[in-house]
Amino acid sequence: MTETFDFIITGGTLLLPGGPAQTDVGVRDGQIAAIGDLGAAAAASRFDAKGLTVMPGVIDEQVHFREPGPVHKEDLESGTRGAALGGVTSVFEMPNTDPPTTTEAAINDKIKRATGRAWTDFAFYVGAAAENADDLGTLERLPGVCGVKMFMGSSTGSLLVADDENVARVLRSGTRRVTVHSEDDMRLTERAELVKDGADVSMHPVWRDVETAVRCTTRLLRLARAAHRRIHVLHVTTAEEIEILGRNKDIATVEVLPQHLTLAAPECYERLGTFAQMNPPIREARHRDGLWKGIASGVVDCIGSDHAPHTREEKARPYPRSPSGLTGTQTLLPLMLNHVAEGRLTLQRLVDLTSAGAARIFGIANKGRIAVGYDGDFTVVDLKAKRTITNDWIASKSGWTPFDGMDVTGWPKATIVRGHMVMRDDQLLDKPIGAPVRFQETL
Ligand code: DOR
């Protein structure tokens, strides 16, 4: 009897856990049902991926989509639209919305808002605060929650856990890996006078300096060890932290961003002004080199975008009144494919960073690799395509990217979420079928 599938990809190069293979993959009821020659199988729909490379779906584990709250910058529909256009199949969304995502009601509200409007699968972070520290162990297990996010340094929004006592309370509450924005808030406050009456934006990494990041990460590691709690350090920016975190891999995982791997000070501030301003900041080339060393050595576990949209008008305010944050989810993959084309990392390592890494760090139940029983999430790419990233292509309500005008080699051709093709050739298809990501059982 002929085997029947809902969706088959034929003729492409699949990036399987064991390496690339020229073979087919079939999806049934949203999950991968077979890998191998499916030439004779029947399918409701087929995608001919001849000449293309089929990656496991890209997971962007750090985005800010602003809903509820300042939805003039972004919302869950526009944010996931940009993600899907960029080849991303799942997003984990940050809690610094308005109100912040610190309660069960706020989590359920976000899930309700995303259902029927999200183009990708999704999960939400619970924001840590002194007020909810003792409830985090319960909140982190709710369906649709990827974990706890703790801001140790002030950034966009009101969430902050700055002092050792409250950081320790957060780390003692619950069992899942805690995700952390690591900048020492006491030092940020002390040094704020460097910029508070106005300064050139090139002062941003001078104010939020290397010591601000290193001091915080050192404190965090000490407190995490005392609490026997695993941590995930977000958007690491310094060569020093890569060294330190490399000695603490038993307790800490590491995220870096394409922005920090691609841009460097002072050039980015001279060229882009406040449109290069983000937290933690883009630093000199020696730090960018340090992050690449972390990719080569294996210290870095995953790449997220920290998509943090603000309108052009907001970004154009004089520094430091200009908000920090850059768009990024749509450009994550094109930028990283370009780095592959330029020989900075292999495609296999990229898959480790964009799919397998997040699956391992967050304990995602059934995503992150092309394997039978896993979700039918695929990012189909043309490794040879030569394209230019432009503001016109950006779906974000904010309408801009710091990479406008950049020529890249490598481009997403199709985004497939649980067997549904939601993007093909830069066009959205079907409808927003995003659903909550499922996680492994926690103890
Ligand atoms: O630059 C940033 N922008 N860093 C953050 O930590 C927050 C983000 C935002 O939400 O705008």
Side-chain angles (χ1 to χ4, degrees), residues 64 66 96 151 155-156 181 235 278-279 306 308 310 324-325:
H64 302 263
R66 314 297 190 203
N96 58 336
F151 283 90
S155 194
T156 304
H181 179 125
H235 41 44
M278 63 179 296
N279 302 333
D306 192 9
H310 301 283
S324 292

Side-chain angles (χ1 to χ4, degrees), residues 2-300:
T2 329
E3 255 208 297
T4 314
F5 298 90
D6 300 323
F7 178 71
I8 289 182
I9 305 177
T10 54
T13 303
L14 303 188
L15 298 185
L16 299 177
Q22 195 76 44
T23 189
D24 310 330
V25 57
V27 178
R28 196 182 299 125
D29 298 328
Q31 293 196 329
I32 297 173
I35 296 168
D37 180 2
L38 301 178
S45 78
R46 266 172 196 278
F47 180 70
D48 178 5
K50 191 161 181 294
L52 302 176
T53 301
V54 184
M55 301 169 62
V58 170
I59 301 167
D60 185 350
E61 43 68 92
Q62 190 185 180
V63 299
H64 302 263
F65 285 164
R66 314 297 190 203
E67 181 178 353
V71 290
H72 65 283
K73 300 175 196 264
E74 200 73 289
D75 63 33
L76 290 161
E77 192 281 326
S78 62
T80 53
R81 182 158 24 113
L85 287 167
V88 171
T89 55
S90 296
V91 295
F92 293 179
E93 207 265 345
M94 283 290 163
N96 58 336
T97 42
D98 187 12
T101 322
T102 50
T103 62
E104 180 168 1
I107 288 287
N108 290 339
D109 175 54
K110 278 194 171 175
I111 293 172
K112 205 164 133 209
R113 287 167 180 271
T115 304
R117 287 171 63 228
W119 290 93
T120 65
D121 281 351
F122 53 82
F124 297 107
Y125 287 92
V126 177
E131 298 74 44
N132 72 355
D134 302 325
D135 305 327
L136 291 170
T138 309
L139 293 170
E140 71 172 5
R141 289 159 173 256
L142 294 172
V145 170
C146 49
V148 169
K149 162 73 182 284
M150 171 163 61
F151 283 90
M152 287 176 72
S154 312
S155 194
T156 304
S158 57
L159 286 170
L160 180 66
V161 184
D163 60 293
D164 281 9
E165 191 189 323
N166 279 306
V167 170
R169 280 179 66 213
V170 168
L171 292 170
R172 282 197 302 266
S173 184
T175 56
R176 293 177 77 178
R177 204 176 272 278
V178 176
T179 320
V180 185
H181 179 125
S182 182
E183 287 187 286
D184 187 276
D185 205 62
M186 281 66 86
R187 187 169 170 90
L188 285 178
T189 309
E190 265 164 42
R191 294 170 65 80
E193 65 185 54
L194 286 172
V195 300
K196 78 173 185 336
D197 298 324
D200 188 80
V201 65
S202 58
M203 285 297 284
H204 197 56
V206 178
W207 167 34
R208 305 180 86 105
D209 66 350
V210 172
E211 178 61 20
T212 300
V214 170
R215 194 180 285 186
C216 194
T217 296
T218 308
R219 276 175 58 214
L220 172 63
L221 283 165
R222 177 171 49 78
L223 293 165
R225 279 209 185 277
H228 303 288
R229 190 71 185 270
R230 295 167 303 150
I231 50 171
H232 180 46
V233 187
L234 293 169
H235 41 44
V236 171
T237 55
T238 67
E240 284 82 347
E241 285 169 287
I242 293 289
E243 286 278 312
I244 296 167
L245 289 161
R247 296 194 294 270
N248 288 276
K249 290 304 292 176
D250 57 329
I251 198 161
T253 49
V254 174
E255 178 212 46
V256 299
L257 311 183
Q259 297 86 309
H260 296 124
L261 289 169
T262 308
L263 302 172
E267 187 276 334
C268 67
Y269 299 108
E270 287 159 11
R271 189 163 54 84
L272 299 165
T274 50
F275 288 75
Q277 177 195 334
M278 63 179 296
N279 302 333
I282 299 167
R283 307 185 191 278
E284 318 87 271
R286 97 169 165 87
H287 294 290
R288 183 175 58 186
D289 295 348
L291 302 184
W292 279 110
K293 265 195 202 151
I295 295 223
S297 65
V299 170
V300 177

Side-chain angles (χ1 to χ4, degrees), residues 300-367:
V300 177
D301 295 276
C302 77
I303 288 180
S305 74
D306 192 9
H307 178 81
H310 301 283
T311 65
R312 289 176 210 242
E313 295 71 30
E314 291 162 344
K315 288 295 280 181
R317 286 181 202 144
Y319 182 79
R321 290 199 294 114
S322 42
S324 292
L326 314 180
T327 60
T329 193
Q330 199 171 334
T331 48
L332 182 158
L333 186 62
L335 289 173
M336 293 312 300
L337 289 175
N338 190 57
H339 285 305
V340 170
E342 292 185 349
R344 288 191 194 90
L345 76 169
T346 64
L347 195 54
Q348 204 67 27
R349 178 67 169 129
L350 180 62
V351 169
D352 184 41
L353 292 165
T354 53
S355 300
R360 187 172 67 239
I361 293 163
F362 293 89
I364 301 176
N366 51 349
K367 294 184 187 292

